[in-house]
């Protein structure tokens, strides 16, 4: 258990809190959820860099890191979807929620790519992350962070009766950021999947390696 693996294990350990705390009516606990999500997102970036720079890539790390990523994705999408009607993004064009089809596209793509990579590995092919997929991950994290911050900020605003222009300006800013990054993440989710299939689809014409 080296440091990169410990960070991945830590992300898995805090994911249940990240998933559950937004359902509290307390703005303090929703703030804690946002902070924990931010920590998880930062450590997701750090553990990979540490493993490569320290040459500490291990079989355990190859198992823990994607497991932590998938757990965090599902853990955040549950409250994001279930609370979308109560906490939609505010934009100049109206309120934007989280349609079920977007959840299905994002989660379905991740499940498919997990299976796709495993099947390719059995045929001796390693599918590394491509540029659009990395950008997809970045936009997705900002989108998730915007939603989690909105859970906290909107709850605090309701408790303090904030209704001035500054608050509405911030609400629009957060909503625009969340909506744009959600759109970019969904587009790149589909685009990167097409690129993977185009580049590696022929792998499955070969027999699995013994």
């Amino acid at each position: 258990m080296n440091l990169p693996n410990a960070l991945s294990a830590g992300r898995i350990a805090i994911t249940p809190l990240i998933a559950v705390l937004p359902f509290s009516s307390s703005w303090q606990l929703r703030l804690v959820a946002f902070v924990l999500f931010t920590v998880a997102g930062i450590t997701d970036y750090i553990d990979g860099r540490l493993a490569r720079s320290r040459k500490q890539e291990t079989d355990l790390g190859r198992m823990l890191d994607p497991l932590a990523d998938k757990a965090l994705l599902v853990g955040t999408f549950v409250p994001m979807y279930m609370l979308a009607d109560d906490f939609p993004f505010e934009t100049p064009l109206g309120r934007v929620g989280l349609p079920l089809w977007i959840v299905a596209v994002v989660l379905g793509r991740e499940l498919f790519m997990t299976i796709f990579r495993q099947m390719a590995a059995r045929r001796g092919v390693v599918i590394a992350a491509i540029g659009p997929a990395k950008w997809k991950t970045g936009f997705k994290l900002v989108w998730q962070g915007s939603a989690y911050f909105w859970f906290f900020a909107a709850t605090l605003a309701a408790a303090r009766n904030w209704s001035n222009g500054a608050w509405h300006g911030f609400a629009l800013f957060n909503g625009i950021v969340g909506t744009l990054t959600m759109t970019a993440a969904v587009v790149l989710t589909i685009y990167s999947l097409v690129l993977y299939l185009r580049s590696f689809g022929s792998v499955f014409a070969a027999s699995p390696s013994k």
Side-chain angles (χ1 to χ4, degrees):
M1 176 62 75
N2 54 37
L3 180 57
N5 292 349
L7 291 174
S8 294
R11 291 209 313 279
I12 295 172
I14 66 174
T15 292
L17 288 174
I18 294 173
V20 170
L21 288 178
F23 291 103
S24 167
S25 59
S26 163
W27 66 262
Q28 293 94 336
L29 291 180
R30 285 175 170 164
L31 175 59
V32 171
F34 169 72
V35 171
L36 289 177
F37 171 78
T38 303
V39 170
I42 292 172
T43 57
D44 184 22
Y45 173 76
I46 291 175
D47 63 12
R49 287 193 60 117
L50 284 176
R52 290 187 293 271
S53 64
R54 296 185 176 190
K55 301 187 184 304
Q56 292 182 330
E57 294 174 295
T58 64
D59 289 339
L60 178 61
R62 294 184 185 94
M63 178 188 71
L64 286 178
D65 187 60
L67 178 61
D69 292 344
K70 301 302 182 291
L72 183 63
L73 179 63
V74 174
T76 54
F77 267 41
V78 169
M80 284 171 63
Y81 175 70
M82 295 187 70
L83 297 175
D85 289 340
D86 295 325
F87 296 93
F89 286 133
E90 302 283 348
T91 75
L93 299 178
R95 295 183 171 185
V96 177
L98 180 56
L100 181 59
W101 72 265
I102 289 182
V103 177
V105 166
V106 175
L107 295 183
R109 185 267 192 196
E110 296 303 323
L111 176 61
F112 176 82
M113 281 306 303
T114 298
I115 298 171
F116 191 55
R117 280 192 166 95
Q118 291 174 349
M119 294 177 66
R122 291 181 58 195
R123 290 161 171 79
V125 177
V126 176
I127 301 179
I130 58 177
K134 294 178 180 179
W135 278 100
K136 177 265 301 178
T137 299
F139 281 120
K140 179 164 60 61
L141 287 172
V142 176
W143 163 30
Q144 292 166 294
S146 298
Y148 264 66
F149 191 82
W150 186 238
F151 294 154
F152 145 69
T155 305
L156 178 60
R160 302 292 172 83
N161 294 315
W162 291 346
S163 59
N164 57 24
W167 163 248
H168 287 297
F170 169 77
L172 288 175
F173 171 76
N174 187 86
I176 291 170
V177 170
T179 302
L180 290 179
T181 52
M182 176 178 69
T183 302
V186 172
V187 170
L188 288 171
T189 291
I190 298 170
Y191 177 62
S192 61
L193 177 60
V194 171
L195 292 181
Y196 279 127
L197 291 174
R198 182 181 300 172
S199 300
F200 298 100
S202 61
V203 168
F204 298 97
S207 299
S209 300
K210 299 296 184 180

